[in-house]
């Protein structure tokens, strides 16, 4: 009361003091005082409400960044503003997201990327009129890295043109095969060619061959080097005379090996060594002839042999009464692996030109691989009662999925790889080996997986 009266500039004296004493004991005055205090508190509450609203408007509300095409879930933390009610958030539906008011959650899969200004409508629980106010917040949706890569078609009028992707499926011996080859993102971004290639062929005498090549990215016409290599090697071995020779020596090799195994002695039989030498020499001759063909081609075309640089792996496979025979060769950094029937063991069938052995990738175009004393170790002769999968791949698959050479014979890594093929991946893409109609398309789609820093051509062949 004293504070109120002071606003009227009342002179302080005995008279005013006696009057003030009577005022504070006056019932009506006390009732008015209570009303005033109530009004003052109500005014303060209204002020506080507006202050909270303005503070919330100015508050730096951080929304977690979302990623286009990936599931997003974010819960708003309103602990600092217990009286603020979020009524709705507009413009989220344009992005592909939904706001759930009761849970204060934003959920969904953003369909587009960018920086968006979203509008938050809110009210204050102390506002009897439930007035709606607005707050504007920046919301960032990061782009899908895949969308940042261009896909420019390669020039169909260019020399040695080839399709940007290719696939094949069908029978292979008494099993099936699916192969897919896809241009890498780095090539697609620049509109250059797929340098990988493959060839599958049924040969005479029930032999089958699969060849895979990875043209060197630094070679001007690697795309031609890879295609010429796989086609030539498949056609070279499609000879009755050569395949009869393989049959004779494979049977001799197996019989002498079995005899040595049964007698529990070291396999040093003359027959075994002779058969092994005959097989490897025949394989070697085919590889050597391919090398000469590449040289002839480069001369005829007026290009350097290094312009055709390519790796090469291939396997010749036939089922005999005593099992499956797999003859193999490899130069470069592309692996050939075989998994046993129950997937309990894995074997790498070729050496890779990485690390200590090669000091770097080698190519079938190089003279030095033929003069190297390790040339014989590039060839393999293996016999299996059965197998579940025989797999050939280029480094576009090997690098992101296996990373290091020692993982190629790590069973746990292979089991994870098989799960990946079965759909255990971010994209939930599955290769159904019992789906003959869709399997090529499925493998091509699966091979579009994202792996940061790994954008090379990808080729994968699976005999199953």
């Amino acid at each position: 009361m004293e504070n109120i009266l002071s606003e009227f500039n009342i002179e302080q004296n005995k008279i005013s003091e006696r009057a003030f004493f009577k005022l504070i004991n006056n019932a009506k005055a006390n009732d008015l005082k209570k009303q005033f205090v109530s009004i003052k508190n109500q005014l303060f509450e209204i002020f506080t409400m507006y202050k909270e609203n303005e503070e919330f408007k100015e508050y730096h509300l951080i929304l977690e960044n979302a990623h286009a095409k990936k599931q997003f879930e974010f819960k708003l933390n309103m602990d600092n503003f217990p009286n603020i009610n979020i009524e709705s958030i507009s413009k989220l539906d344009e992005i592909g997201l939904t706001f759930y008011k009761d849970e204060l959650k934003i959920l969904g899969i953003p369909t587009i990327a960018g920086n968006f200004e979203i509008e938050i409508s809110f009210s204050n629980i102390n506002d009897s009129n439930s007035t709606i106010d607005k707050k504007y917040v920046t919301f960032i949706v990061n782009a899908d890295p895949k969308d940042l890569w261009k896909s420019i078609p390669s020039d169909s009028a260019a020399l040695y043109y080839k399709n940007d992707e290719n696939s094949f499926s069908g029978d292979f011996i008494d099993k099936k095969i699916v192969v897919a080859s896809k241009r890498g993102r780095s090539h697609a971004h620049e509109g250059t060619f797929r340098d990988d290639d493959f060839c599958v062929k049924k040969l005479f005498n029930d032999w089958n061959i699969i060849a895979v090549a990875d043209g060197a990215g630094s070679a001007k016409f690697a795309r031609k080097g890879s295609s010429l290599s796989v086609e030539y090697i498949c056609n070279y071995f499609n000879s009755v005379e050569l395949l009869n020779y393989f049959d004779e020596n494979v049977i001799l090799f197996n019989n002498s090996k079995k005899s040595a195994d049964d007698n529990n002695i070291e396999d040093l039989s003359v027959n075994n060594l002779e058969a092994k030498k005959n097989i490897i020499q025949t394989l070697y001759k085919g590889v050597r002839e391919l090398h000469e063909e590449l040289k002839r081609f480069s001369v005829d075309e007026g290009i350097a042999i290094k312009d055709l640089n390519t790796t090469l792996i291939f396997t010749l496979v036939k089922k005999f009464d005593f099992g499956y025979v797999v003859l193999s060769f490899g130069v470069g950094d592309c692996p050939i692996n075989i998994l046993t029937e129950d997937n309990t063991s894995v074997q790498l069938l070729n050496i890779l030109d990485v690390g200590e052995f090669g000091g770097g990738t080698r190519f079938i175009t190089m003279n030095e691989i033929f003069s190297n004393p390790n040339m014989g170790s590039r060839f393999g002769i293996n016999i299996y009662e059965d197998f579940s999968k025989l797999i050939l791949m280029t480094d576009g698959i090997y690098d992101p999925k296996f990373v290091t050479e020692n993982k190629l014979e790590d069973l746990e890594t292979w089991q994870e790889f098989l799960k990946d093929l079965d759909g255990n991946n971010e994209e939930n893409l599955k290769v159904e080996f019992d789906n003959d109609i869709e399997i090529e398309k499925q493998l091509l789609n699966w091979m579009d997986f994202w792996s940061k820093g790994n954008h090379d051509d990808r080729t994968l062949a699976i005999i199953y």
Side-chain angles (χ1 to χ4, degrees):
M1 288 185 183
E2 202 168 3
N3 287 338
I4 292 170
L5 291 176
S6 67
E7 296 179 13
F8 293 94
N9 297 318
I10 298 172
E11 184 180 350
Q12 297 291 321
N13 51 43
K14 290 182 179 180
I15 293 173
S16 60
E17 285 178 5
R18 290 197 299 268
F20 183 74
F21 177 76
K22 290 181 178 179
L23 175 67
I24 62 176
N25 287 287
N26 181 273
K28 184 176 180 180
N30 273 286
D31 186 53
L32 289 171
K33 180 191 74 173
K34 291 176 184 178
Q35 292 180 43
F36 180 78
V37 170
S38 175
I39 291 170
K40 183 176 71 172
N41 288 339
Q42 289 178 54
L43 287 170
F44 182 73
E45 287 174 1
I46 294 171
F47 170 79
T48 301
M49 178 187 72
Y50 285 130
K51 182 172 179 289
E52 284 177 340
N53 290 358
E54 294 303 317
E55 285 175 344
F56 181 62
K57 282 185 183 179
E58 294 297 319
Y59 177 67
H60 184 50
L61 180 63
I62 300 175
L63 298 180
E64 183 180 305
N65 290 357
H67 297 270
K69 301 178 184 177
K70 287 192 175 181
Q71 181 67 38
F72 178 75
E73 179 177 341
F74 180 76
K75 182 177 174 62
L76 294 174
N77 184 352
M78 298 297 292
D79 291 347
N80 294 329
F81 298 95
N83 296 322
I84 298 295
N85 252 340
I86 305 295
E87 302 292 343
S88 63
I89 302 178
S90 65
K91 299 186 179 179
L92 285 179
D93 56 335
E94 300 172 13
I95 306 169
L97 298 172
T98 303
F99 174 64
Y100 293 88
K101 178 181 175 181
D102 293 341
E103 302 173 52
L104 290 177
K105 280 186 178 181
I106 300 173
L107 294 174
I109 300 176
T111 55
I112 54 176
N115 289 9
F116 305 93
E117 186 180 62
I118 62 173
E119 183 181 272
I120 300 177
S121 298
F122 68 94
S123 62
N124 195 299
I125 61 174
N126 295 315
D127 183 1
S128 59
N129 295 320
S130 299
T131 306
I132 301 298
D133 215 334
K134 308 285 186 182
K135 176 181 178 62
Y136 297 91
V137 177
T138 298
F139 180 51
I140 299 173
V141 180
N142 295 318
D144 184 339
K146 294 180 186 178
D147 294 338
L148 301 177
W149 291 85
K150 299 176 185 176
S151 184
I152 303 171
S154 52
D155 184 3
S156 60
L159 188 64
Y160 313 133
Y161 169 79
K162 73 163 66 170
N163 292 331
D164 294 335
E165 64 181 36
N166 192 18
S167 62
F168 172 84
S169 61
D171 295 329
F172 194 93
I173 46 177
D174 63 338
K175 295 181 181 288
K176 294 180 180 179
I177 186 171
V178 60
V179 194
S181 185
K182 197 177 190 76
R183 183 175 64 157
R185 289 189 180 88
S186 55
H187 286 174
H189 191 70
E190 298 173 356
T192 53
F193 290 92
R194 172 175 58 96
D195 289 328
D196 280 10
D197 222 315
F198 71 87
C199 176
V200 181
K201 198 174 187 68
K202 290 184 179 181
L203 309 178
F204 296 111
N205 292 11
D206 297 322
W207 283 90
N208 285 249
I209 188 170
I210 166 68
V212 171
D214 177 8
S218 59
K220 187 176 181 180
F221 299 118
R223 61 186 180 275
K224 184 60 178 178
S226 61
S227 64
L228 195 157
S229 295
V230 296
E231 289 166 12
Y232 183 90
I233 208 70
C234 284
N235 289 327
Y236 178 86
F237 287 110
N238 196 23
S239 159
V240 174
E241 182 180 354
L242 284 180
L243 296 171
N244 282 336
Y245 191 64
F246 277 142
D247 285 345
E248 294 169 9
N249 284 279
V250 164
I251 292 169
L252 183 62
F253 174 82
N254 178 71
N255 289 342
S256 57
K257 184 177 184 302
K258 185 175 184 299
S259 176
D261 291 343
D262 289 346
N263 289 283
N264 195 28
I265 61 174
E266 188 176 1
D267 181 21
L268 295 175
S269 69
V270 174
N271 285 343
N272 182 271
L273 292 175
E274 185 67 20
K276 184 176 181 179
K277 183 184 76 171
N278 291 341
I279 294 168
I280 290 177
Q281 283 182 344
T282 306
L283 292 170
Y284 173 87
K285 186 178 179 183
V287 172
R288 186 75 198 190
E289 285 294 328
L290 166 59
H291 177 78
E292 295 302 321
E293 174 63 20
L294 289 165
K295 288 201 293 187
R296 285 192 294 270
F297 182 85
S298 66
V299 171
D300 292 344
E301 295 290 306
I303 60 178
I305 184 70
K306 66 179 182 179
D307 288 338
L308 300 171
N309 278 356
T310 182
T311 67
L312 175 69
I313 53 175
F314 67 82
T315 59
L316 285 145
V317 187
K318 180 176 178 177
K319 184 181 182 182
F320 289 80
D321 292 340
F322 47 82
Y324 294 88
V325 173
V326 181
L327 310 180
S328 57
F329 168 80
V331 58
D333 55 359
C334 300
I336 307 169
N337 279 84
I338 194 162
L339 289 149
T340 56
E341 185 179 6
D342 53 2
N343 292 330
T344 56
S345 66
V346 61
Q347 183 182 354
L348 178 64
L349 301 187
N350 64 313
I351 57 170
L352 301 188
D353 290 301
V354 294
E356 190 174 328
F357 174 80
T361 301
R362 295 290 184 267
F363 305 111
I364 195 66
T365 44
M366 292 178 169
N367 281 318
E368 63 190 75
I369 68 167
F370 296 95
S371 58
N372 193 301
N374 288 311
M375 182 62 180
S377 62
R378 294 186 180 278
F379 300 93
I381 307 170
N382 290 280
I383 302 174
Y384 305 93
E385 287 187 11
D386 201 356
F387 64 91
S388 70
K389 289 179 177 63
L390 175 59
I391 298 176
L392 297 82
M393 67 180 77
T394 60
D395 59 357
I397 302 290
Y398 155 57
D399 284 340
K401 295 300 183 181
F402 293 87
V403 184
T404 59
E405 185 182 359
N406 66 312
K407 293 285 188 180
L408 289 168
E409 290 194 286
D410 178 64
L411 185 59
E412 186 176 341
T413 303
W414 273 99
Q415 288 170 342
E416 289 301 312
F417 181 72
L418 294 177
K419 289 178 183 177
D420 193 330
L421 287 170
D422 195 40
N424 186 20
N425 50 66
E426 287 188 8
E427 297 81 10
N428 297 317
L429 293 174
K430 184 175 183 178
V431 180
E432 298 172 302
F433 290 99
D434 57 353
N435 189 339
D436 294 343
I437 297 174
E438 296 290 330
I439 193 166
E440 288 179 47
K441 181 180 177 181
Q442 290 177 349
L443 185 55
L444 280 168
N445 289 339
W446 178 88
M447 284 170 53
D448 200 34
F449 61 81
W450 175 259
S451 175
K452 186 177 180 180
N454 292 298
H455 309 298
D456 201 0
D457 294 345
R458 295 169 177 172
T459 302
L460 180 61
I462 306 174
I463 299 159
Y464 59 98

